């Protein structure tokens, strides 16, 4: 492992461990009743988030899903403000009005997580129109799951992006489960890549648990899109090691399958590279820093006040 | 407000020309404004509302889209959040139902859900208009569905002056607006082009009267005026054009009813669970002790809009049925 590779690996390791530490605390505080409603964590999918967001500029746009904490953190969102949002507090990133599924940050180009499966796809296409109009090489990255590929929004949003040749990267995180349903059982033919490619855009597939492979694929697609190359589709093959939502009893999943994927934990793979490659990098120190940062995020959320009832009708807009 | 070419003024546009002019003026004034929709570019729109704009502003600002309403409106929402000011057309108001998610779950809610972080300055331009045998899927007035959703503004212009002013205001607004045209007004040239513009949220007294207040909007304004003209010798009717359902000029409505003591609400939308019921509720809350009789709503009868002219006439309010309703309200 070269020095440059080590620095890059360590940065991606930092992003992934920050996401994991955030999500572990989300799960814990959901169990303890601090987090309300329902919440979806992305444990196991950190490489897709960290790898895909690495080539993005601060001004690039991002749309994400109900499972979007990792994407928002990788794009630069503040974990304290995110955790406070999940706790329903006034200092939350949305003032406590959105919750887990509606994290957004305009100044970071995050056009929102979304509670409607597939909804972010046409939104990304539209943001692509704005990016194209700006003419400064801005791109849009849309995260969605393989379950969304069945939705009309995918068909219309991707079709429109191809027709308009907008700079949008459609990143499909194939985590093998659409909520409770094994994607293979719901799939039929043709396979994912064949279906995506049929829309007329470059479609490729990468090991979504290999952060560097994801980063390289997305960087190539982003570079092309920045210079007028139009939209592209990348499948990141990964696995949801958590339930669909916190508290999911997972009667639909074979424990042996989960155990096999745990052997391919994206964070452990990078740790092994860092530690066994003789790089001298201190993975443990990075992990401790991530844990401390997310502990502070929880402390901030705990200490923050709930929104005042007087803010109920603020920002409705009509 | 009856059609009156002679008095409308030399430069007074048709209703549809006022729409076209507002779009062209805002496109020229603000680089962020863009239009998107099916057949709106080279084709100029199925009724010609966008004619000439593609040639003036080019294919990147006047975008012909595939027939993919949910995708187009979703893209409009994304473009708006990313700094553009899209006017996304839904060719017929009935087609709202195939693209409600971008309107209801996205545009209407995103600003609130994100604590004000995201803004969605988009106009959903659409048109309705029963009475031309277009059938049940090309004729229905659905403004009540839209007005029910917190976060959406709903504008329903009844003449060229308002068509221009409300569309320009909608494009300049920082929130989503559903702008509802009535295609049976497209070819009309109305009096009043030279009157001062009114902002959204202000009702307009189209005709003053003392016996009954009628609250209405869109094409029905003209049917109500015809009915009031017919009854002029026996009944003094005040006609308020609500102009915008959200925001609604509740103060003007309540004040008028408090003065006349009687209230009829007329709309082209189906009566059942319709927007008239909401307005009636507000009138009762605001003017109950000034009322001399029941508040009535006269809307379309509860059926899908029928095709046959005889059935469609029976379905929709018109001057004749409104006159009957006015007589009843005035004497109850």
């Amino acid at each position: 492992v070269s020095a440059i590779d080590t620095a890059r690996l360590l940065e991606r390791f930092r992003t992934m461990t920050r996401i994991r530490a955030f999500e572990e605390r989300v799960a814990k505080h959901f169990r303890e009743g601090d987090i309300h409603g329902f919440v979806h964590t992305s444990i196991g999918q950190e490489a897709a988030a960290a790898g895909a967001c690495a080539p993005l500029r601060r001004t690039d746009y991002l749309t994400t899903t109900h499972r979007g904490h990792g994407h928002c953190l990788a794009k630069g969102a503040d974990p304290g403000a995110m955790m406070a949002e999940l706790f329903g507090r006034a200092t939350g990133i949305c003032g406590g009005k959105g919750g887990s599924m509606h994290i957004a940050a305009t100044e970071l180009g995050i056009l929102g997580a979304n509670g409607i499966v597939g909804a972010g796809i046409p939104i990304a296409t539209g943001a692509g129109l704005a990016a194209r109009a700006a003419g400064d090489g801005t791109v849009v990255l849309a995260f969605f799951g393989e379950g969304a590929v069945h939705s009309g929004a995918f068909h219309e949003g991707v079709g429109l992006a191809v027709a308009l040749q907008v700079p949008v990267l459609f990143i499909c995180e194939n985590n093998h489960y659409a909520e409770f349903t094994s994607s293979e059982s719901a799939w039929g033919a043709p396979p994912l890549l064949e279906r995506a490619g049929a829309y007329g855009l470059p479609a490729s597939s990468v090991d979504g648990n290999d952060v560097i492979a994801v980063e390289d694929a997305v960087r190539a697609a982003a570079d092309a899109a920045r210079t007028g190359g139009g939209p592209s589709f990348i499948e990141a093959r990964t696995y949801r090691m958590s339930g669909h939502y916190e508290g999911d009893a997972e009667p639909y999943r074979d424990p042996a399958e989960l155990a096999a994927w745990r052997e391919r934990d994206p964070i452990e793979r990078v740790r092994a590279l860092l530690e066994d490659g003789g790089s001298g990098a201190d993975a443990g120190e990075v992990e401790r820093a991530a844990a401390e940062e997310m502990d502070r995020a929880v402390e901030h959320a705990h200490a923050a006040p709930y929104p005042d009832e007087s803010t109920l009708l603020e920002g409705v807009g009509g | 407000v009856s059609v009156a070419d002679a008095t409308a003024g030399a430069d007074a546009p048709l209703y549809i020309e006022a729409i076209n002019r507002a779009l062209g003026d805002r496109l020229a004034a603000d680089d962020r404004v863009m239009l998107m929709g099916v057949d709106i570019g080279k084709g100029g729109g199925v009724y010609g509302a966008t004619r000439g704009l593609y040639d003036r502003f080019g294919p990147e600002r006047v975008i012909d889209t595939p027939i993919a309403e949910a995708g187009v409106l979703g893209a409009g929402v994304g473009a708006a959040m990313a700094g553009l000011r899209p006017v996304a057309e839904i060719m017929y108001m009935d087609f709202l139902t195939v693209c409600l998610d971008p309107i209801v779950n996205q545009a209407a809610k995103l600003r609130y859900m994100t604590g004000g972080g995201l803004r969605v300055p988009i106009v959903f331009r659409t048109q309705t208009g029963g009475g031309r045998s277009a059938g049940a899927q090309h004729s229905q007035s659905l403004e009540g569905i839209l007005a029910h959703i917190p976060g959406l503004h709903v504008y329903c212009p009844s003449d060229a002056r308002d068509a221009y002013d409300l569309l320009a205001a909608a494009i300049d607004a920082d929130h989503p607006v559903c702008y509802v045209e009535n295609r049976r007004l497209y070819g009309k040239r109305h009096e009043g082009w030279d009157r001062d513009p009114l902002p959204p949220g202000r009702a307009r007294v189209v005709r003053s009267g003392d016996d009954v207040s009628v609250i209405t909007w869109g094409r029905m304004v003209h049917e109500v005026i015809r009915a009031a003209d017919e009854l002029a010798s026996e009944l003094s009717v005040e006609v308020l054009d609500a102009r915008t359902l959200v925001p609604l000029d509740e103060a003007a409505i309540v004040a008028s009813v408090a003065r006349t003591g009687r209230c009829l609400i007329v709309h082209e939308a189906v009566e059942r669970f319709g927007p008239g019921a909401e307005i009636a509720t507000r009138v009762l809350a605001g003017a109950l002790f000034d009322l001399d009789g029941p508040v009535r709503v006269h809307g379309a009868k509860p059926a899908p809009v029928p095709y046959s002219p005889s059935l469609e006439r029976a379905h929709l309010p018109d001057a004749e049925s409104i006159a009957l309703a006015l007589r009843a309200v005035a004497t109850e």
Side-chain angles (χ1 to χ4, degrees), chain A residues 159-296:
Chain A
L160 197 57
V162 171
L164 300 172
Q165 283 297 298
V166 286
V168 181
L169 317 174
F170 296 102
I171 309 298
C172 177
E173 287 181 299
N174 182 353
N175 69 10
H176 292 79
Y177 283 88
E179 306 192 3
F180 292 179
T181 303
S182 150
S183 291
E184 267 114 52
S185 72
W187 195 244
L192 179 58
L193 272 195
E194 202 175 312
R195 189 183 294 197
Y199 286 93
L201 75 177
S204 59
S205 180
V206 293
D207 178 351
N209 279 15
D210 178 342
V211 68
I212 297 300
V214 174
E215 178 179 346
D216 288 348
V218 174
R219 188 180 302 280
D223 287 347
R226 289 191 201 287
T227 52
S232 54
F233 176 99
I234 296 170
E235 175 198 23
R237 301 184 309 275
T238 181
Y239 193 75
R240 192 187 76 207
M241 297 191 336
S242 46
H244 168 47
Y245 49 75
E246 289 310 295
D248 179 359
E250 302 179 44
Y252 51 84
R253 174 146 72 180
D254 178 359
E257 178 188 277
L258 176 58
W261 275 93
R262 282 195 191 284
E263 294 301 308
R264 301 168 60 186
D265 185 320
I267 294 180
E268 294 313 313
R269 284 165 74 173
V270 176
R271 186 202 309 281
L273 280 175
L274 287 169
E275 289 179 347
D276 304 342
S279 69
D282 189 348
E285 176 52 34
V286 170
E287 224 164 10
R288 277 190 296 279
E292 282 168 20
E293 180 191 13
M294 298 311 162
D295 285 340
R296 284 196 301 276

Side-chain angles (χ1 to χ4, degrees), chain B residues 5-68:
Chain B
D5 294 74
T7 57
D11 67 334
L14 299 174
Y15 182 92
I16 196 170
E17 290 169 344
I19 292 162
N20 184 278
R21 199 182 287 185
L23 293 171
D25 287 354
R26 297 320 299 153
L27 279 162
D30 187 343
D31 285 342
R32 299 171 301 175
V33 176
M34 43 87 80
L35 316 184
M36 55 199 304
V38 178
D39 298 340
I40 66 156
K42 275 188 179 170
V46 288
Y47 289 94
T50 54
R51 200 166 287 164
L53 299 176
Y54 179 90
D55 289 336
R56 268 177 81 191
F57 299 101
E60 295 202 351
R61 295 188 68 201
V62 182
I63 300 174
D64 271 322
T65 68
I67 304 169

